[in-house]
Amino acid sequence: MKASSSAAPTVLISEVGPRDGLQSVRATMPLAAKCAWIDALAAAGLREIEVGSFVSPKLLPQLADTAAVVRHALRHPGLTVMALVPNLQGAQAAAAAGVHKITLPVSASAAHSLANVRRTPQQMLDEVRAVLAWRAEQAPQLAVEVGLSTAFGCTLQGAVPEDEVIALAEALAEAGVDEVGLSDTTGMAHPAQVRRLFTRLRAAIGDKAGAAHLHNTRGLGLANALAAWDVGVRTFDASLAGLGGCPYAPGASGNVVTEDLVFLFEAMGVATGIDLDRLIAARAPLAAGLPGEPLYGMLAEAGVPRGFVPATRIPA
């Protein structure tokens, strides 16, 4: 899949496996293995990686070494190093470690919000405002985004009214968040819903409309990604080998598989900037760091079609 010219990426694939994936498995990947995995992801051309989260190690011992992972990831020039933080204290720790971007988990479902961060959506909105006030004073270079969890439905609450999702997104944008994305935390979304809600989001907050974070729980992950693309979404979260799922949302299984999503876009002629051969190879350090953990993905099983020419043509 090598060629003599290159195409500028037109879509951003944000790899969330080192955070979303590792928080959902019982085993703890050793620090050296995490670093080797991130090195392989960066070598494949990933331009943004969520490398961990700054939460209490009592809650997520799998991610207790996130500061060390951040320091390693920062060695890769041009890589946006991102981490999840649940509150101001986490934001301060992330900034001290050197991350470029933080993401805060604000849930549109009150039931999920209480289970996940022990705060109501309104309390989380207040927490986001506190983070933004601190950023203005102490860390103006830090990017702040919010992924609106359970935007398409919640296994605890059930249906989540779309008007409430959009109202919360508008409040976050008005507060000063750089981007607000929508997350199908529980894998309940379908393409018509994705198309409708992202259209409303873009109409409500304009260029602050952010990423699509989709799960493949019911087999609709790629269909939903295509629906989001059709209405203008250009940033997508994905997890290598489909690892992931919220531990506080029952039944919320794997994220969209990074390899399959990249292949979808490349086959459509949409450049991702990612080398598929190297991306598939990045499964090896993941498997080595989590021996016995199930890995998913159709592309890794079937392989790249004979004669396939990707939109991203990596110079030889």
Side-chain angles (χ1 to χ4, degrees):
M1 290 189 298
K2 303 293 184 182
S4 59
S5 62
S6 61
T10 55
V11 64
L12 174 64
I13 307 298
S14 181
E15 173 63 46
V16 300
R19 193 278 302 177
D20 201 344
L22 296 186
Q23 77 171 18
S24 68
V25 298
R26 292 184 179 180
T28 296
M29 180 183 278
L31 175 59
K34 290 180 183 179
C35 294
W37 182 24
I38 288 170
D39 290 346
L41 291 167
L46 270 300
R47 292 172 287 140
E48 180 172 282
I49 303 176
E50 189 178 34
V51 302
S53 83
F54 287 87
V55 300
S56 169
K58 294 180 181 179
L59 295 175
L60 288 175
Q62 305 97 314
L63 304 179
D65 56 3
T66 292
V69 177
V70 168
R71 288 193 292 271
H72 180 85
L74 289 170
R75 300 177 185 180
H76 294 282
L79 176 67
T80 297
V81 179
M82 182 167 65
L84 180 141
V85 305
N87 50 36
L88 176 58
Q89 182 179 0
Q92 292 169 335
V99 303
H100 303 122
K101 181 192 288 190
I102 58 173
T103 181
L104 289 105
V106 178
S107 182
S109 157
H112 178 260
S113 186
L114 289 169
N116 190 37
V117 292
R118 301 176 186 175
R119 290 181 173 88
T120 66
Q122 183 59 50
Q123 287 172 327
M124 276 305 297
L125 177 58
D126 292 340
E127 191 71 27
V128 171
R129 290 182 175 130
V131 169
L132 293 168
W134 167 80
R135 176 182 72 164
E137 294 277 337
Q138 302 293 332
Q141 78 289 348
L142 185 67
V144 177
E145 70 170 32
V146 166
L148 270 180
S149 306
T150 63
F152 300 92
C154 175
T155 52
L156 297 171
Q157 173 180 307
V160 177
E162 292 184 5
D163 287 349
E164 293 181 12
V165 174
I166 298 303
L168 189 52
E170 288 176 326
L172 288 161
E174 290 170 5
V177 169
D178 298 317
E179 292 184 1
V180 181
L182 300 180
S183 300
D184 184 24
T185 313
T186 57
M188 297 171 70
H190 57 77
Q193 183 187 23
V194 169
R195 199 173 282 116
R196 182 174 64 247
L197 199 51
F198 269 106
T199 297
R200 290 190 62 182
L201 180 72
R202 290 169 61 80
I205 64 173
D207 61 6
K208 287 193 173 186
H213 179 103
L214 303 167
H215 284 227
N216 200 42
T217 310
R218 293 166 178 83
L220 294 179
L222 291 183
N224 288 335
L226 186 56
W229 167 266
D230 285 344
V231 295
V233 177
R234 294 296 179 264
T235 302
F236 295 83
D237 293 350
S239 179
L240 197 80
L243 289 185
C246 178
Y248 301 103
S253 57
N255 290 279
V256 169
V257 176
T258 306
E259 308 92 295
D260 294 351
L261 184 63
V262 170
F263 177 74
L264 169 70
F265 283 123
E266 294 288 337
M268 290 169 51
V270 177
T272 65
I274 297 169
D275 183 317
L276 274 169
D277 288 331
R278 292 178 179 176
L279 186 62
I280 293 172
R283 292 168 66 99
L286 168 58
L290 288 176
E293 187 68 31
L295 304 183
Y296 305 96
M298 305 302 290
L299 183 69
E301 292 292 327
V304 175
R306 182 182 296 236
F308 178 70
V309 179
T312 298
R313 303 185 182 188
I314 307 298

